[in-house]
Amino acid sequence: MTKDIKKKLQEWAKTYHCADFIQNDPVQFPHRYRQKQDIEISGLLTAIMSFGNRKQILKKADELHDCMGTSPYQYVLSRRWEKDFPAEEKRSFYRMLSYADFYSYFERLYAAYSRFESLEEALQVYSGLPIEKLCAFLEVSSRSPQKKLNMFLRWMIRKGSEVDFGIWESFDCRDLIIPLDTHVCRVARLLELTETETFSLKNAQRITAALAEVFPDDPCYGDFALFGYGVNNK
């Protein structure tokens, strides 16, 4: 990687890594809360919904949070989600995510918070890197790029950020993988951090490794450079 590219990444990361990022991003929803459990639940469910048209994401995430009210944690423990998101309801809540899908997410969260103090603690029963633990909890493949889940982990783990929360003390931000989306792929390819715009785990790892050359202690800081520049320079 050339010095010029490293300088660009550092400049772009500094430009886009700021509180202004929050207002138009799904991360605004967990920022409504202060309690750890509320942030975890809001963050996970919002991240899972974060695909497709940005306006629609924000609209449906707002609808979900209206259901959960002032405390997603209390909502989970109250089991009110059983009525709001019936297990047998296959109708779409957001795109291919049905009401039944959200029932499943709430059911997993209820089981976790019934046994553990936090989702962070619940994930410790699984082995591997942060993304492998989270995929095991949700019973999804850890061999795909899992953009939404990697974004959620970035929110929970990165510290010293106006955007991310850094409330998970038992995880290391050096173990994060960059959330791979269209903007990140395009700009990474433009800067020759990767040779392809393929949406694969291997490509996400390749781009993360390249960013670690610039930000060795916090590779996903570079996410703001690639995503921010990509969105603002379409």
Side-chain angles (χ1 to χ4, degrees):
M1 187 185 304
T2 67
K3 290 183 178 179
D4 182 55
I5 289 176
K6 287 184 178 180
K7 184 178 179 181
K8 284 181 179 179
L9 287 168
Q10 290 166 341
E11 290 175 349
W12 295 347
K14 185 176 181 180
T15 296
Y16 298 112
H17 185 255
C18 60
D20 289 345
F21 184 91
I22 297 170
Q23 60 185 350
N24 295 313
D25 191 82
V27 76
Q28 66 184 266
F29 292 98
H31 270 285
R32 293 179 176 182
Y33 306 102
R34 293 293 176 264
Q35 185 175 344
K36 180 178 181 176
Q37 295 89 342
D38 291 330
I39 294 170
E40 290 177 333
I41 295 165
S42 170
L44 179 61
L45 296 178
T46 300
I48 286 170
M49 296 175 65
S50 294
F51 62 97
N53 180 272
R54 179 61 61 93
K55 288 183 179 179
Q56 287 301 309
I57 294 169
L58 299 181
K59 178 182 176 182
K60 293 303 290 188
D62 194 46
E63 185 178 328
L64 174 65
H65 284 77
D66 281 345
C67 288
M68 295 193 292
T70 58
S71 174
Y73 179 53
Q74 292 303 320
Y75 179 80
V76 167
L77 295 182
S78 74
R79 301 185 72 104
R80 294 199 307 274
W81 43 272
E82 292 180 308
K83 180 179 178 181
D84 294 334
F85 298 91
E88 69 280 1
E89 180 57 80
K90 304 301 182 183
R91 180 168 51 96
S92 169
F93 179 76
Y94 175 64
R95 299 191 69 175
M96 72 278 293
L97 294 174
S98 68
Y99 281 77
D101 289 327
F102 278 91
Y103 179 97
S104 176
Y105 296 135
F106 281 119
E107 188 175 40
R108 291 177 191 277
L109 289 167
Y110 178 83
Y113 288 110
S114 295
R115 291 184 57 201
F116 302 98
E117 183 68 23
S118 66
L119 181 57
E120 176 185 14
E121 184 182 339
L123 294 185
Q124 298 306 324
V125 303
Y126 304 102
S127 61
L129 295 171
I131 187 60
E132 293 170 329
K133 291 175 181 285
L134 184 58
C135 286
F137 170 71
L138 293 172
E139 296 187 38
V140 297
S141 174
S142 61
R143 296 184 179 181
S144 67
Q146 296 292 2
K147 175 255 181 180
K148 297 171 287 186
L149 301 186
N150 279 310
M151 183 176 68
F152 166 70
L153 290 170
R154 196 203 79 202
W155 292 349
M156 296 299 104
I157 296 171
R158 285 195 67 251
K159 294 175 175 58
S161 171
E162 293 180 275
V163 180
D164 301 321
F165 296 88
I167 56 175
W168 283 8
E169 299 290 341
S170 57
F171 294 91
D172 193 323
C173 63
R174 288 172 292 189
D175 292 328
L176 293 171
I177 298 173
I178 193 164
L180 196 63
D181 70 0
T182 302
H183 304 294
V184 168
C185 276
R186 177 171 60 83
V187 179
R189 177 69 181 84
L190 179 68
L191 297 179
E192 299 183 345
L193 305 184
T194 180
E195 297 177 353
T196 177
E197 295 185 27
T198 305
F199 287 91
S200 66
L201 174 60
K202 184 177 181 180
N203 202 30
Q205 292 170 326
R206 184 185 295 116
I207 295 170
T208 303
L211 292 172
E213 294 182 34
V214 187
F215 314 106
D217 295 323
D218 186 11
C220 278
Y221 180 44
D223 184 27
F224 292 91
L226 299 181
F227 179 79
Y229 182 83
V231 168
N232 287 278
N233 295 272
K234 295 179 182 179

